[in-house]
Amino acid sequence: MKEVEGRRVCQEFSAGYYGLCAVGGMLSAGTTHLAITPLDVLKVNMQVNPIKYSGISSGFSILWREQGPSSLWRGWSGKLFGYGVQGGFKFGLYEYFKKFYSDLLEGHSRSSIYFLSSASAQVFADVALCPFEAVKVRVQAQPYYAKGLADGFPKLYYSEGLSGFYRGLFPLWGRNLPFSMIMFSTFEHSVNFIYQNIIQRRKEDCSRTQQLGVTCLAGYTAGAFGTFVSNPADNIVSSLYNKKADNVLQAVKKIGFGNLFIRSLPVRITIVGPLVTLQWFFYDTIKVLSGLVLIK
């Protein structure tokens, strides 16, 4: 493992290594999701009430005019803590499973390793995220439901029980599993393509600035591809959490098959592209500063 400034924080593939990866994922995911809370509030309302919130600029104007500027930050605690926890599981376990499947499936294609690793990590990450997401979506789409996690968690538990926190787990898997598989795989292949065909130098021969530049370009590409694939499930999740439908099939019928792919897609691309780019940038930066080396 490459040393940074002459110091090695921990051995590669040790418990400490995966722990630092998890911390990096937690910090990068939590902070970036917090930053785009206003866009997320608008996205959820566009999904739940598409007639009223029909566009990005008009949607922001309606929220600001009717509910005040503070409405744009509803659900911020769910974004920070929920997606922080999810990011820790997602990135930390992805590094673990990538090593595990690389050893187990030696000789198989790298794409299969990336798909299996990201899917395995995302299963656990979404179980951790689901209770936070259940409260967050309700807070964002129902102005008087709760102020945040502190009063939202007990209210949801008393009204719907433990099952209320996991009502959207399967749709959440349906949204995040394909997104994660496409995102990680696209990122890994994009990084390799950029170094081999554009820069035409090994990563180790590039400066830290160049490496992080490659990370940003590959991250945005990965986010754009993953957004389109996961958009149908994202609409279903919002519909279920806000009781616009009782099950997945009913949600699909009410939304319409075509609308599953296009409803809120522009705002999601606006959110997810920069979000994934910043996540990878912060994640790689944290690993560089910690003395770790990304395995590409």
Side-chain angles (χ1 to χ4, degrees), residues 123-268:
V123 167
F124 293 98
D126 282 349
V127 171
L129 168 66
C130 205
F132 296 91
E133 184 78 352
V135 175
K136 177 193 76 74
V137 171
R138 288 170 170 82
V139 169
Q140 290 178 333
Q142 302 172 37
Y144 304 105
Y145 182 83
K147 293 181 179 179
L149 295 179
D151 53 341
F153 270 125
K155 183 172 184 177
L156 180 57
Y157 179 76
Y158 290 137
S159 62
E160 300 184 37
L162 188 62
S163 63
F165 291 105
Y166 290 95
R167 178 190 297 273
L169 179 59
F170 287 102
L172 203 60
W173 277 334
R175 179 188 74 185
N176 290 344
L177 280 171
F179 175 83
S180 186
M181 293 167 70
I182 294 296
M183 188 270 285
F184 276 102
S185 181
T186 302
F187 176 82
E188 300 275 14
H189 285 301
S190 296
V191 167
N192 291 333
F193 178 83
I194 293 170
Y195 281 119
Q196 293 175 10
N197 298 284
I198 299 178
I199 298 179
Q200 297 182 346
R201 281 192 293 168
R202 296 185 310 163
K203 177 185 175 183
E204 293 76 12
D205 297 328
C206 295
S207 68
R208 187 176 300 178
T209 301
Q210 289 173 323
Q211 291 179 22
L212 292 176
V214 171
T215 293
C216 290
L217 182 58
Y220 193 88
T221 303
F225 275 98
T227 299
F228 180 77
V229 172
S230 63
N231 203 59
D234 191 59
N235 279 295
I236 292 172
V237 167
S238 292
S239 180
L240 290 175
Y241 278 145
N242 286 284
K243 297 184 177 180
K244 299 293 183 178
D246 295 325
N247 53 61
V248 173
L249 289 178
Q250 189 178 93
V252 172
K253 289 180 180 179
K254 285 190 173 184
I255 297 171
F257 184 77
N259 286 332
L260 287 174
F261 289 91
I262 62 175
R263 179 177 292 179
S264 74
L265 183 60
V267 71
R268 285 198 73 223

Side-chain angles (χ1 to χ4, degrees), residues 10-12 20 22 28 41 46 56 83 99 117 120-121 143 153 155 161 197 200 226 251 253 269:
C10 62
Q11 291 298 316
E12 197 171 14
L20 280 173
S28 64
V41 171
M46 289 177 73
I56 295 177
Y83 283 90
K99 178 67 167 66
S117 302
S120 299
F153 270 125
K155 183 172 184 177
N197 298 284
Q200 297 182 346
K253 289 180 180 179
I269 291 177

